[in-house]
Amino acid sequence: MNFLFVDSCQNQLFVLLYNDGKYFVKTSNGNKKHNSVLLPSIDQLLAESGLTISEIQNIACVVGPGSFTGIRLGVTTCNGLAFATGANRIAINTFESLAYNNTNHILIALDCRHGNYYAGEYNCGSEISLINCTEQFLQDCDFEVIRWNGERDVEQIIACVLNKIENKDFVDMFSPLYLKKSQAEREIE
């Protein structure tokens, strides 16, 4: 069993290729250049693993929240690859792998600037809600708040994706997950 995992929603591009217990990771900093490094990163991981793109059985894509451009890049690229290869599509939100197997009631928050945060509330690893909130909301929260700094736990990601594969938690098409309107939409209003 194998899968390709792509997260282009954050400042650091993160691409992981898992193949029968072995994994290969490629990262690149700077969300302004994800477009130019995503496909070469995937090619590099395929070369390292000895797989071809047509052998990829599952593609997992972080669909948001995060950078609007990064979300669109990941969703579009992964949809194209899945269409071309016939791979299963696995949609993952930004917080899902962080909350996987967590036994507490938590809120994972990601700073999206200007005093706003994207956040995911989870209880015992199950998603309760995804919200756009303020610093004050985080301070008033009556359960554990984890301010995510972008670090990833490869083992958690692998376990989360493998669980989704085992449960056949597939989607027909990757769709962007936005928790707020884009700057252009807000300016029009």
Side-chain angles (χ1 to χ4, degrees):
M1 173 184 311
N2 62 49
F3 67 81
L4 176 67
F5 174 90
V6 173
D7 183 355
S8 58
C9 298
Q10 311 310 317
N11 189 46
Q12 182 186 62
L13 173 68
F14 184 87
V15 184
L16 179 147
L17 180 61
Y18 175 88
N19 185 29
D20 292 326
K22 295 179 184 174
Y23 66 86
F24 307 86
V25 175
K26 179 79 173 148
T27 62
S28 177
N29 286 327
N31 60 4
K32 302 284 187 200
K33 63 180 182 177
H34 287 358
N35 190 41
S36 63
V37 297
L38 177 55
L39 288 174
S41 295
I42 293 170
D43 283 343
Q44 182 180 352
L45 294 181
L46 288 168
E48 288 176 23
S49 71
L51 292 172
T52 64
I53 193 64
S54 62
E55 294 174 298
I56 298 299
Q57 300 162 325
N58 304 281
I59 297 176
C61 180
V62 176
V63 295
S67 157
F68 284 67
T69 302
I71 292 170
R72 289 188 294 270
L73 172 65
V75 164
T76 303
T77 302
C78 290
N79 271 326
L81 291 173
F83 178 76
T85 63
N88 298 311
R89 292 176 174 99
I90 303 157
I92 299 205
N93 75 53
T94 298
F95 310 112
E96 211 166 341
S97 68
L98 300 167
Y100 184 75
N101 279 341
N102 190 306
T103 58
N104 299 320
H105 189 182
I106 59 173
L107 184 79
I108 304 170
L110 172 65
D111 187 349
C112 61
R113 297 186 291 214
H114 310 294
N116 291 299
Y117 293 83
Y118 297 129
E121 181 181 353
Y122 293 84
N123 193 5
C124 296
S126 295
E127 182 180 295
I128 296 173
S129 66
L130 297 174
I131 59 172
N132 183 24
C133 63
T134 64
E135 176 67 37
Q136 189 63 50
F137 179 88
L138 298 180
Q139 291 175 6
D140 294 343
C141 196
D142 60 353
F143 44 88
E144 181 183 4
V145 174
I146 299 169
R147 293 173 189 262
W148 186 51
N149 63 3
E151 290 184 32
R152 293 175 178 89
D153 182 330
V154 172
E155 298 298 327
Q156 280 285 103
I157 292 168
I158 292 170
C160 181
V161 174
L162 288 176
N163 180 266
K164 285 185 165 255
I165 293 169
E166 182 179 311
N167 291 314
K168 298 191 183 327
D169 190 359
F170 305 130
V171 296
D172 293 330
M173 190 72 85
F174 293 117
S175 299
L177 171 64
Y178 302 126
L179 294 185
K180 67 178 183 178
K181 294 180 180 179
S182 69
Q183 181 179 350
E185 290 172 311
R186 291 189 310 268
E187 287 176 4
I188 288 173
E189 291 177 349

